[in-house]
Amino acid sequence: MFYKELKITSFDPKFAYIAGFSVAFIHYALMTLVSVTAVAAFEAVGSILVINFFVAPALTAYLLVRRMGMMIILALSFAVLNSVSGYYTSLYFGLSVAGTTSFIALITFMLVFLFNSNGWISSFVQKTRQKKQFNRAMILMLLNEKSHEYLT
């Protein structure tokens, strides 16, 4: 509902102030909503799920995109995916719902961390490929120099 105001005040508070937005009001309104949600959630489900649902989906989405709108959509999608799969996994194996959901969130985060375009495995593969290309180029350059020496 207040996406534009949130985006402007979050990323450029000076411009938001100049544009006439109440930066302090929007900041404290957001902090109040987060605080009320956290307190209610701590009472309802406990600290593990609250921290899990505040941090894991947002971090996972941040690894994939940099645009705020898409990040919100992806974070919501990851939260739903983690909670549904964690719930059904805990029912199937007879485990704690909070622990299983947190574990599923960790697995989701680690998969994205390892396999996204800037992830650890992708970086390792890219560096290995660059080393091979460099070695080939150096060998060709040395062969080219040696062939010129034999011709002269």
Side-chain angles (χ1 to χ4, degrees):
M1 193 164 138
F2 296 105
Y3 175 75
K4 176 182 64 171
E5 291 83 1
L6 175 65
K7 188 173 180 180
I8 290 174
T9 57
S10 296
F11 296 109
D12 198 355
K14 290 180 183 177
F15 174 74
Y17 179 76
I18 292 170
F21 294 107
S22 177
V23 177
F25 175 75
I26 293 172
H27 172 75
Y28 287 117
L30 179 65
M31 291 301 115
T32 302
L33 290 172
V34 169
S35 300
V36 168
T37 304
V39 169
F42 270 112
E43 292 296 322
V45 295
S47 61
I48 294 172
L49 279 180
V50 172
I51 294 169
N52 174 37
F53 283 148
F54 275 15
V55 175
L59 284 177
T60 307
Y62 182 72
L63 288 174
L64 294 173
V65 294
R66 294 292 186 255
R67 291 182 49 230
M68 186 172 162
M70 193 64 190
M71 194 178 302
I72 290 172
I73 292 169
L74 271 178
L76 289 172
S77 301
F78 281 124
V80 169
L81 173 78
N82 294 341
S83 60
V84 169
S85 59
Y87 176 74
Y88 284 114
T89 304
S90 70
L91 283 181
Y92 183 76
F93 290 108
L95 301 170
S96 162
V97 176
T100 307
T101 305
S102 297
F103 184 69
I104 295 291
L106 172 70
I107 290 173
T108 306
F109 173 78
M110 291 305 294
L111 286 173
V112 170
F113 176 74
L114 291 174
F115 293 107
N116 74 345
S117 61
N118 297 325
W120 186 80
I121 291 178
S122 299
S123 297
F124 178 76
V125 169
Q126 183 180 11
K127 286 178 185 177
T128 304
R129 193 176 299 141
Q130 286 176 345
K131 284 180 184 178
K132 286 181 182 179
Q133 288 175 347
F134 178 75
N135 288 339
R136 286 184 192 134
M138 293 304 293
I139 289 171
L140 289 173
M141 188 176 73
L142 289 172
L143 287 173
N144 190 24
E145 279 183 19
K146 292 295 181 184
S147 66
H148 284 298
E149 287 178 9
Y150 288 123
L151 293 175
T152 55

